[in-house]
Amino acid sequence: MRVVGEIPHPACKITIFSWNNRYLIKIENGMLEQTFKINQFDVTGESEVIQMVDEAFVQEALNRFDDMSKSLHQAVSRT
């Protein structure tokens, strides 16, 4: 797995990887992470993948992190 680059953001860590004919967009927030896989043949290159990670994309991921955190806390409270 090769690190293509990191995208700085104050609320999360965003890393772009190239692996197995795919680009991976990995977004981390605390103990949670989301990974998006993109076939390398569906984009023109690394720069297009980086452009995809705009503020709207990141905001949706951050909202999803809130939902993920709630789900985890509810699961823990049931045990």
Side-chain angles (χ1 to χ4, degrees):
M1 188 174 310
R2 177 176 68 87
V3 175
V4 171
E6 292 187 7
I7 300 173
H9 195 278
C12 58
K13 180 179 179 183
I14 305 170
T15 310
I16 310 295
F17 298 95
S18 176
W19 179 68
N20 220 19
N21 294 321
R22 291 184 179 90
Y23 289 109
L24 283 71
I25 302 169
K26 182 177 178 182
I27 304 175
E28 300 175 75
N29 185 302
M31 296 296 291
L32 301 172
E33 67 181 45
Q34 298 174 48
T35 302
F36 301 86
K37 297 177 183 178
I38 304 162
N39 190 320
Q40 284 184 335
F41 304 109
D42 291 340
V43 293
T44 58
E46 298 169 0
S47 61
E48 186 176 353
V49 175
I50 292 169
Q51 287 178 350
M52 291 171 56
V53 185
D54 60 9
E55 191 55 38
F57 184 87
V58 174
Q59 189 56 53
E60 289 174 4
L62 292 173
N63 293 342
R64 203 171 297 113
F65 278 127
D66 290 340
D67 292 339
M68 292 169 68
S69 181
K70 289 175 190 173
S71 293
L72 180 60
H73 288 312
Q74 289 171 354
V76 169
S77 68
R78 289 191 298 267
T79 60

